[in-house]
PDB file of all heavy atoms in Angstrom:
ATOM      1  N   GLY A 261     -67.981 212.686 -49.323  1.00  0.00           N
ATOM      2  CA  GLY A 261     -67.759 213.804 -48.417  1.00  0.00           C
ATOM      3  C   GLY A 261     -69.026 214.494 -47.963  1.00  0.00           C
ATOM      4  O   GLY A 261     -69.031 215.711 -47.724  1.00  0.00           O
ATOM      5  N   VAL A 262     -70.115 213.740 -47.803  1.00  0.00           N
ATOM      6  CA  VAL A 262     -71.377 214.348 -47.369  1.00  0.00           C
ATOM      7  C   VAL A 262     -71.246 214.916 -45.961  1.00  0.00           C
ATOM      8  O   VAL A 262     -71.889 215.907 -45.606  1.00  0.00           O
ATOM      9  CB  VAL A 262     -72.519 213.312 -47.440  1.00  0.00           C
ATOM     10  CG1 VAL A 262     -73.845 213.934 -47.023  1.00  0.00           C
ATOM     11  CG2 VAL A 262     -72.629 212.727 -48.841  1.00  0.00           C
ATOM     12  N   THR A 263     -70.380 214.292 -45.154  1.00  0.00           N
ATOM     13  CA  THR A 263     -70.153 214.804 -43.798  1.00  0.00           C
ATOM     14  C   THR A 263     -69.695 216.252 -43.827  1.00  0.00           C
ATOM     15  O   THR A 263     -70.163 217.094 -43.040  1.00  0.00           O
ATOM     16  CB  THR A 263     -69.095 213.940 -43.082  1.00  0.00           C
ATOM     17  OG1 THR A 263     -69.572 212.598 -42.980  1.00  0.00           O
ATOM     18  CG2 THR A 263     -68.808 214.480 -41.698  1.00  0.00           C
ATOM     19  N   LEU A 264     -68.780 216.574 -44.742  1.00  0.00           N
ATOM     20  CA  LEU A 264     -68.304 217.961 -44.861  1.00  0.00           C
ATOM     21  C   LEU A 264     -69.436 218.915 -45.195  1.00  0.00           C
ATOM     22  O   LEU A 264     -69.526 220.020 -44.647  1.00  0.00           O
ATOM     23  CB  LEU A 264     -67.228 218.034 -45.939  1.00  0.00           C
ATOM     24  CG  LEU A 264     -65.829 217.527 -45.556  1.00  0.00           C
ATOM     25  CD1 LEU A 264     -64.971 217.364 -46.801  1.00  0.00           C
ATOM     26  CD2 LEU A 264     -65.176 218.460 -44.559  1.00  0.00           C
ATOM     27  N   THR A 265     -70.321 218.490 -46.077  1.00  0.00           N
ATOM     28  CA  THR A 265     -71.457 219.338 -46.451  1.00  0.00           C
ATOM     29  C   THR A 265     -72.377 219.565 -45.253  1.00  0.00           C
ATOM     30  O   THR A 265     -72.897 220.675 -45.059  1.00  0.00           O
ATOM     31  CB  THR A 265     -72.247 218.699 -47.609  1.00  0.00           C
ATOM     32  OG1 THR A 265     -71.350 218.318 -48.655  1.00  0.00           O
ATOM     33  CG2 THR A 265     -73.267 219.664 -48.168  1.00  0.00           C
ATOM     34  N   CYS A 266     -72.580 218.520 -44.455  1.00  0.00           N
ATOM     35  CA  CYS A 266     -73.403 218.675 -43.248  1.00  0.00           C
ATOM     36  C   CYS A 266     -72.782 219.679 -42.283  1.00  0.00           C
ATOM     37  O   CYS A 266     -73.491 220.522 -41.693  1.00  0.00           O
ATOM     38  CB  CYS A 266     -73.553 217.326 -42.548  1.00  0.00           C
ATOM     39  SG  CYS A 266     -74.562 216.122 -43.427  1.00  0.00           S
ATOM     40  N   LEU A 267     -71.466 219.636 -42.113  1.00  0.00           N
ATOM     41  CA  LEU A 267     -70.799 220.581 -41.226  1.00  0.00           C
ATOM     42  C   LEU A 267     -70.947 222.006 -41.740  1.00  0.00           C
ATOM     43  O   LEU A 267     -71.188 222.942 -40.966  1.00  0.00           O
ATOM     44  CB  LEU A 267     -69.325 220.199 -41.076  1.00  0.00           C
ATOM     45  CG  LEU A 267     -69.057 218.866 -40.369  1.00  0.00           C
ATOM     46  CD1 LEU A 267     -67.572 218.545 -40.377  1.00  0.00           C
ATOM     47  CD2 LEU A 267     -69.592 218.886 -38.946  1.00  0.00           C
ATOM     48  N   ASP A 268     -70.800 222.186 -43.035  1.00  0.00           N
ATOM     49  CA  ASP A 268     -71.003 223.515 -43.623  1.00  0.00           C
ATOM     50  C   ASP A 268     -72.415 224.017 -43.376  1.00  0.00           C
ATOM     51  O   ASP A 268     -72.633 225.209 -43.091  1.00  0.00           O
ATOM     52  CB  ASP A 268     -70.741 223.473 -45.129  1.00  0.00           C
ATOM     53  CG  ASP A 268     -69.269 223.277 -45.474  1.00  0.00           C
ATOM     54  OD1 ASP A 268     -68.414 223.543 -44.600  1.00  0.00           O
ATOM     55  OD2 ASP A 268     -68.988 222.843 -46.608  1.00  0.00           O
ATOM     56  N   ALA A 269     -73.388 223.127 -43.486  1.00  0.00           N
ATOM     57  CA  ALA A 269     -74.794 223.520 -43.352  1.00  0.00           C
ATOM     58  C   ALA A 269     -75.158 223.910 -41.925  1.00  0.00           C
ATOM     59  O   ALA A 269     -76.043 224.758 -41.717  1.00  0.00           O
ATOM     60  CB  ALA A 269     -75.691 222.380 -43.821  1.00  0.00           C
ATOM     61  N   LEU A 270     -74.497 223.331 -40.937  1.00  0.00           N
ATOM     62  CA  LEU A 270     -74.923 223.496 -39.543  1.00  0.00           C
ATOM     63  C   LEU A 270     -73.999 224.370 -38.718  1.00  0.00           C
ATOM     64  O   LEU A 270     -74.317 224.684 -37.562  1.00  0.00           O
ATOM     65  CB  LEU A 270     -75.051 222.118 -38.877  1.00  0.00           C
ATOM     66  CG  LEU A 270     -76.051 221.161 -39.521  1.00  0.00           C
ATOM     67  CD1 LEU A 270     -76.014 219.811 -38.833  1.00  0.00           C
ATOM     68  CD2 LEU A 270     -77.461 221.735 -39.480  1.00  0.00           C
ATOM     69  N   ASP A 271     -72.865 224.762 -39.254  1.00  0.00           N
ATOM     70  CA  ASP A 271     -71.909 225.543 -38.469  1.00  0.00           C
ATOM     71  C   ASP A 271     -72.507 226.876 -38.038  1.00  0.00           C
ATOM     72  O   ASP A 271     -73.261 227.513 -38.776  1.00  0.00           O
ATOM     73  CB  ASP A 271     -70.634 225.793 -39.288  1.00  0.00           C
ATOM     74  CG  ASP A 271     -69.486 226.244 -38.411  1.00  0.00           C
ATOM     75  OD1 ASP A 271     -69.622 226.203 -37.160  1.00  0.00           O
ATOM     76  OD2 ASP A 271     -68.439 226.631 -38.961  1.00  0.00           O
ATOM     77  N   GLY A 272     -72.176 227.258 -36.814  1.00  0.00           N
ATOM     78  CA  GLY A 272     -72.609 228.549 -36.295  1.00  0.00           C
ATOM     79  C   GLY A 272     -73.814 228.495 -35.390  1.00  0.00           C
ATOM     80  O   GLY A 272     -74.118 229.469 -34.698  1.00  0.00           O
ATOM     81  N   ARG A 273     -74.523 227.358 -35.364  1.00  0.00           N
ATOM     82  CA  ARG A 273     -75.703 227.266 -34.495  1.00  0.00           C
ATOM     83  C   ARG A 273     -75.255 227.027 -33.055  1.00  0.00           C
ATOM     84  O   ARG A 273     -74.469 226.125 -32.765  1.00  0.00           O
ATOM     85  CB  ARG A 273     -76.621 226.144 -34.950  1.00  0.00           C
ATOM     86  CG  ARG A 273     -77.322 226.413 -36.268  1.00  0.00           C
ATOM     87  CD  ARG A 273     -78.441 225.414 -36.484  1.00  0.00           C
ATOM     88  NE  ARG A 273     -79.511 225.551 -35.508  1.00  0.00           N
ATOM     89  CZ  ARG A 273     -80.745 225.964 -35.784  1.00  0.00           C
ATOM     90  NH1 ARG A 273     -81.065 226.302 -37.023  1.00  0.00           N
ATOM     91  NH2 ARG A 273     -81.653 226.038 -34.843  1.00  0.00           N
ATOM     92  N   ALA A 274     -75.804 227.837 -32.145  1.00  0.00           N
ATOM     93  CA  ALA A 274     -75.432 227.722 -30.739  1.00  0.00           C
ATOM     94  C   ALA A 274     -76.260 226.687 -29.996  1.00  0.00           C
ATOM     95  O   ALA A 274     -75.963 226.372 -28.836  1.00  0.00           O
ATOM     96  CB  ALA A 274     -75.584 229.085 -30.061  1.00  0.00           C
ATOM     97  N   ASP A 275     -77.308 226.172 -30.647  1.00  0.00           N
ATOM     98  CA  ASP A 275     -78.199 225.225 -29.973  1.00  0.00           C
ATOM     99  C   ASP A 275     -77.856 223.779 -30.301  1.00  0.00           C
ATOM    100  O   ASP A 275     -78.650 222.864 -30.064  1.00  0.00           O
ATOM    101  CB  ASP A 275     -79.653 225.504 -30.355  1.00  0.00           C
ATOM    102  CG  ASP A 275     -79.882 225.477 -31.863  1.00  0.00           C
ATOM    103  OD1 ASP A 275     -78.880 225.441 -32.610  1.00  0.00           O
ATOM    104  OD2 ASP A 275     -81.053 225.491 -32.288  1.00  0.00           O
ATOM    105  N   LEU A 276     -76.663 223.545 -30.865  1.00  0.00           N
ATOM    106  CA  LEU A 276     -76.277 222.203 -31.295  1.00  0.00           C
ATOM    107  C   LEU A 276     -75.046 221.707 -30.559  1.00  0.00           C
ATOM    108  O   LEU A 276     -74.176 222.478 -30.147  1.00  0.00           O
ATOM    109  CB  LEU A 276     -75.962 222.177 -32.794  1.00  0.00           C
ATOM    110  CG  LEU A 276     -77.099 222.352 -33.783  1.00  0.00           C
ATOM    111  CD1 LEU A 276     -76.570 222.171 -35.192  1.00  0.00           C
ATOM    112  CD2 LEU A 276     -78.206 221.371 -33.507  1.00  0.00           C
ATOM    113  N   ASP A 277     -74.975 220.390 -30.463  1.00  0.00           N
ATOM    114  CA  ASP A 277     -73.755 219.700 -30.060  1.00  0.00           C
ATOM    115  C   ASP A 277     -73.578 218.583 -31.085  1.00  0.00           C
ATOM    116  O   ASP A 277     -74.414 217.665 -31.154  1.00  0.00           O
ATOM    117  CB  ASP A 277     -73.887 219.136 -28.644  1.00  0.00           C
ATOM    118  CG  ASP A 277     -72.593 218.534 -28.156  1.00  0.00           C
ATOM    119  OD1 ASP A 277     -72.261 217.409 -28.592  1.00  0.00           O
ATOM    120  OD2 ASP A 277     -71.913 219.172 -27.341  1.00  0.00           O
ATOM    121  N   LEU A 278     -72.539 218.652 -31.916  1.00  0.00           N
ATOM    122  CA  LEU A 278     -72.381 217.743 -33.042  1.00  0.00           C
ATOM    123  C   LEU A 278     -71.366 216.642 -32.752  1.00  0.00           C
ATOM    124  O   LEU A 278     -70.329 216.882 -32.135  1.00  0.00           O
ATOM    125  CB  LEU A 278     -71.930 218.508 -34.280  1.00  0.00           C
ATOM    126  CG  LEU A 278     -72.922 219.520 -34.883  1.00  0.00           C
ATOM    127  CD1 LEU A 278     -72.261 220.276 -36.029  1.00  0.00           C
ATOM    128  CD2 LEU A 278     -74.173 218.814 -35.364  1.00  0.00           C
ATOM    129  N   THR A 279     -71.685 215.448 -33.243  1.00  0.00           N
ATOM    130  CA  THR A 279     -70.756 214.321 -33.188  1.00  0.00           C
ATOM    131  C   THR A 279     -70.628 213.752 -34.592  1.00  0.00           C
ATOM    132  O   THR A 279     -71.628 213.362 -35.203  1.00  0.00           O
ATOM    133  CB  THR A 279     -71.258 213.219 -32.230  1.00  0.00           C
ATOM    134  OG1 THR A 279     -71.322 213.754 -30.900  1.00  0.00           O
ATOM    135  CG2 THR A 279     -70.313 212.024 -32.244  1.00  0.00           C
ATOM    136  N   VAL A 280     -69.414 213.700 -35.111  1.00  0.00           N
ATOM    137  CA  VAL A 280     -69.140 213.153 -36.429  1.00  0.00           C
ATOM    138  C   VAL A 280     -68.522 211.769 -36.253  1.00  0.00           C
ATOM    139  O   VAL A 280     -67.568 211.599 -35.494  1.00  0.00           O
ATOM    140  CB  VAL A 280     -68.181 214.058 -37.228  1.00  0.00           C
ATOM    141  CG1 VAL A 280     -67.787 213.399 -38.542  1.00  0.00           C
ATOM    142  CG2 VAL A 280     -68.827 215.418 -37.475  1.00  0.00           C
ATOM    143  N   ILE A 281     -69.078 210.768 -36.967  1.00  0.00           N
ATOM    144  CA  ILE A 281     -68.608 209.388 -36.842  1.00  0.00           C
ATOM    145  C   ILE A 281     -68.077 208.934 -38.192  1.00  0.00           C
ATOM    146  O   ILE A 281     -68.809 208.918 -39.188  1.00  0.00           O
ATOM    147  CB  ILE A 281     -69.756 208.459 -36.374  1.00  0.00           C
ATOM    148  CG1 ILE A 281     -70.384 209.005 -35.096  1.00  0.00           C
ATOM    149  CG2 ILE A 281     -69.248 207.034 -36.161  1.00  0.00           C
ATOM    150  CD1 ILE A 281     -71.726 208.388 -34.767  1.00  0.00           C
ATOM    151  N   LEU A 282     -66.795 208.558 -38.219  1.00  0.00           N
ATOM    152  CA  LEU A 282     -66.148 208.147 -39.465  1.00  0.00           C
ATOM    153  C   LEU A 282     -65.145 207.026 -39.203  1.00  0.00           C
ATOM    154  O   LEU A 282     -64.801 206.739 -38.048  1.00  0.00           O
ATOM    155  CB  LEU A 282     -65.415 209.324 -40.108  1.00  0.00           C
ATOM    156  CG  LEU A 282     -66.231 210.363 -40.879  1.00  0.00           C
ATOM    157  CD1 LEU A 282     -65.330 211.516 -41.302  1.00  0.00           C
ATOM    158  CD2 LEU A 282     -66.924 209.752 -42.088  1.00  0.00           C
ATOM    159  N   SER A 283     -64.656 206.459 -40.295  1.00  0.00           N
ATOM    160  CA  SER A 283     -63.569 205.488 -40.242  1.00  0.00           C
ATOM    161  C   SER A 283     -62.242 206.191 -40.520  1.00  0.00           C
ATOM    162  O   SER A 283     -62.207 207.253 -41.156  1.00  0.00           O
ATOM    163  CB  SER A 283     -63.800 204.394 -41.287  1.00  0.00           C
ATOM    164  OG  SER A 283     -62.619 203.676 -41.554  1.00  0.00           O
ATOM    165  N   SER A 284     -61.158 205.568 -40.043  1.00  0.00           N
ATOM    166  CA  SER A 284     -59.825 206.100 -40.369  1.00  0.00           C
ATOM    167  C   SER A 284     -59.548 206.030 -41.862  1.00  0.00           C
ATOM    168  O   SER A 284     -58.627 206.684 -42.355  1.00  0.00           O
ATOM    169  CB  SER A 284     -58.746 205.313 -39.612  1.00  0.00           C
ATOM    170  OG  SER A 284     -58.873 205.524 -38.229  1.00  0.00           O
ATOM    171  N   ASP A 285     -60.353 205.234 -42.582  1.00  0.00           N
ATOM    172  CA  ASP A 285     -60.202 205.103 -44.029  1.00  0.00           C
ATOM    173  C   ASP A 285     -61.110 206.048 -44.802  1.00  0.00           C
ATOM    174  O   ASP A 285     -61.246 205.918 -46.026  1.00  0.00           O
ATOM    175  CB  ASP A 285     -60.482 203.666 -44.461  1.00  0.00           C
ATOM    176  CG  ASP A 285     -59.504 202.675 -43.855  1.00  0.00           C
ATOM    177  OD1 ASP A 285     -58.318 203.030 -43.728  1.00  0.00           O
ATOM    178  OD2 ASP A 285     -59.927 201.558 -43.495  1.00  0.00           O
ATOM    179  N   ALA A 286     -61.750 206.973 -44.118  1.00  0.00           N
ATOM    180  CA  ALA A 286     -62.666 207.898 -44.791  1.00  0.00           C
ATOM    181  C   ALA A 286     -61.963 208.634 -45.923  1.00  0.00           C
ATOM    182  O   ALA A 286     -60.802 209.061 -45.795  1.00  0.00           O
ATOM    183  CB  ALA A 286     -63.240 208.898 -43.785  1.00  0.00           C
ATOM    184  N   ALA A 287     -62.677 208.789 -47.024  1.00  0.00           N
ATOM    185  CA  ALA A 287     -62.075 209.352 -48.229  1.00  0.00           C
ATOM    186  C   ALA A 287     -61.564 210.778 -48.014  1.00  0.00           C
ATOM    187  O   ALA A 287     -60.541 211.170 -48.581  1.00  0.00           O
ATOM    188  CB  ALA A 287     -63.092 209.322 -49.369  1.00  0.00           C
ATOM    189  N   LYS A 288     -62.252 211.562 -47.197  1.00  0.00           N
ATOM    190  CA  LYS A 288     -61.866 212.960 -46.999  1.00  0.00           C
ATOM    191  C   LYS A 288     -61.610 213.244 -45.521  1.00  0.00           C
ATOM    192  O   LYS A 288     -62.030 214.271 -44.983  1.00  0.00           O
ATOM    193  CB  LYS A 288     -62.951 213.878 -47.561  1.00  0.00           C
ATOM    194  CG  LYS A 288     -63.189 213.663 -49.062  1.00  0.00           C
ATOM    195  CD  LYS A 288     -64.157 214.647 -49.651  1.00  0.00           C
ATOM    196  CE  LYS A 288     -64.341 214.389 -51.157  1.00  0.00           C
ATOM    197  NZ  LYS A 288     -65.255 215.357 -51.790  1.00  0.00           N
TER     198      LYS A 288
END
């Protein structure tokens, strides 16, 4: 679930546009 930690770390920044790439089989 490192992706979740990255989202927590970066949320709220107005200078970002985020793209998350995962599989339908992702654990979380």
Side-chain angles (χ1 to χ4, degrees):
V262 181
T263 299
L264 283 167
T265 310
C266 291
L267 294 176
D268 290 340
L270 300 176
D271 196 9
R273 291 193 65 112
D275 56 349
L276 290 185
D277 185 283
L278 294 175
T279 297
V280 174
I281 306 165
L282 282 174
S283 162
S284 294
D285 298 323
K288 300 186 179 182

